Structure formats: C-alpha cells, structure tokens
C-alpha cells in the first residue's frame, strides 16, 4: 500500500543497522511530487546522523524515468536543518560553539536501479536545485541583525560566478 512503512532494526543476516520497507502502490501511477514525498518519508525514518543509505527499487521494473531523481530530491529536501546558531549541548543556554554547516550534509545515498548509469549522469541538475533550495532556506532562517541588506547583496553577488545576474537598486532607483 502506498506510503506504508515497515521498519526492521538490526535485520538478521544483513550488515545493515536497519531495513526500511516502503510501499509505493502501483509505481506507474506515481508522479514526481509523490516520489519526492516518498523520498522525504524515507529520510524521515532514518536517524539524523545516518551517514549512508542504500535504496533498492525492488519490484519496480517500469520506473518512470524521473522517479529516482524525484525520490533523491525529496530525500535531500527532508534532510535540511538550520543549526548554525544552535549550541552543541550547552544546557546552561550558553552558545559555546555552533555546529558546522557540514553537519547537515545529506547521507551518501546509493540508489540501485536498472537505469543506474543514467542516474549517475542525471542527478547533476537536481543536486544544483537542492543546493539552491538550501541556500534560500539559509537566507530565510538568518536573523535580520545578521542578514542586513548589505550582507544580503554580498551573498547574492557571490553567485555572479555561477552565472546569476544580480541587480542592486539603491534608494533613488527604488
């Protein structure tokens, strides 16, 4: 059944720490958004500190071409966490040190599918989209005393090297 989940901790005979089985129903009827939701649901079932995740599309031989990409994108979107200003367990409320942004790196995701070679080449676009969403979420989550208008301009201007056209309007232009 679609979105039904069975989780097996320390499965006998496997070296994996957990096995998560996710029902997709009839895969021919799923659109990209639904594959993203399934990817996010799978990421939600894994512990936050998961470093590796292997995904096997078992019994899904007629995957829609974008299904694995949408699944991976949903998995990555669910992984986002803004922890820049959170302390590492200082119970007194003192922010002794903040977590590095690299702590939110998505686990290494390996998808086993009949179209594996195509997957490796095609995820570049979705990876760029994921990085863009993370960047936008970071901007939204920054407090106003940190992300002032000049700082906002500086961060966006840094993206000119990536081909982004940035036009800054001063007061008279506004």
């Amino acid at each position: 059944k679609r979105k039904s989940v069975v989780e097996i901790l320390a499965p006998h005979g496997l070296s994996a720490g957990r096995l998560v089985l996710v029902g997709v129903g009839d895969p021919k009827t799923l659109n990209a958004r639904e594959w993203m939701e399934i990817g996010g649901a799978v990421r939600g079932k894994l512990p936050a500190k998961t470093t590796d995740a292997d995904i096997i599309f078992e019994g899904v031989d007629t995957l829609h071409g974008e299904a694995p990409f949408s699944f991976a994108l949903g998995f990555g979107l669910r992984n986002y966490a803004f922890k820049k200003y959170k302390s590492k367990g200082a119970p007194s409320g003192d922010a002794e040190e903040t977590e590095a942004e690299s702590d939110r790196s998505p686990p290494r995701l390996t998808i086993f599918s009949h179209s594996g070679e195509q997957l490796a080449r095609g995820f570049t676009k979705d990876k760029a989209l994921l990085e863009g969403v993370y960047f936008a979420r970071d901007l939204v989550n920054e407090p106003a005393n940190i992300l002032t208008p000049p700082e906002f301009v500086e961060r966006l201007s840094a993206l000119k090297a990536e081909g982004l056209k940035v036009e800054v309007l001063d007061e008279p232009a506004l």
Side-chain angles (χ1 to χ4, degrees):
K1 188 175 178 182
R2 187 177 297 174
K3 295 185 186 176
S4 61
V5 177
V6 175
E7 186 174 8
I8 303 169
L9 298 175
H12 179 70
L14 294 177
S15 61
R18 75 182 58 226
L19 179 64
V20 179
L21 304 171
V22 180
V24 296
D26 182 3
K28 295 175 189 171
T29 64
L30 296 177
N31 61 33
R33 173 92 179 170
E34 291 165 323
W35 278 111
M36 281 178 55
E37 290 172 359
I38 291 170
V42 169
R43 178 62 183 114
K45 283 293 181 183
L46 301 176
K49 295 185 179 189
T50 299
T51 57
D52 297 308
D54 295 331
I55 308 298
I56 302 171
F57 284 99
E58 179 64 31
V60 187
D61 296 331
T62 56
L63 277 178
H64 179 268
E66 296 294 314
F69 301 113
S70 297
F71 178 92
L73 187 59
F75 189 93
L77 289 172
R78 177 70 180 260
N79 192 68
Y80 178 83
F82 188 76
K83 298 179 180 180
K84 188 173 180 179
Y85 301 110
K86 290 192 178 185
S87 62
K88 284 190 174 186
S92 64
D94 297 333
E96 292 176 2
E97 69 181 274
T98 59
E99 292 194 29
E101 287 189 23
S102 62
D103 287 350
R104 70 145 191 251
S105 302
R108 183 189 56 79
L109 179 64
T110 305
I111 297 178
F112 296 92
S113 169
H114 293 287
S115 56
E117 207 172 288
Q118 183 184 20
L119 287 176
R121 287 191 309 266
F123 190 65
T124 306
K125 178 187 80 167
D126 287 341
K127 185 177 180 203
L129 178 64
L130 186 62
E131 289 172 2
V133 170
Y134 275 21
F135 179 71
R137 287 178 177 180
D138 284 346
L139 292 175
V140 168
N141 284 309
E142 283 283 1
N145 65 331
I146 301 294
L147 189 63
T148 60
E151 175 66 18
F152 184 70
V153 168
E154 185 178 317
R155 290 189 191 185
L156 289 181
S157 294
L159 294 176
K160 286 181 180 178
E162 303 294 327
L164 182 70
K165 181 182 175 192
V166 178
E167 181 180 352
V168 180
L169 303 176
D170 58 5
E171 284 187 46
L174 290 172

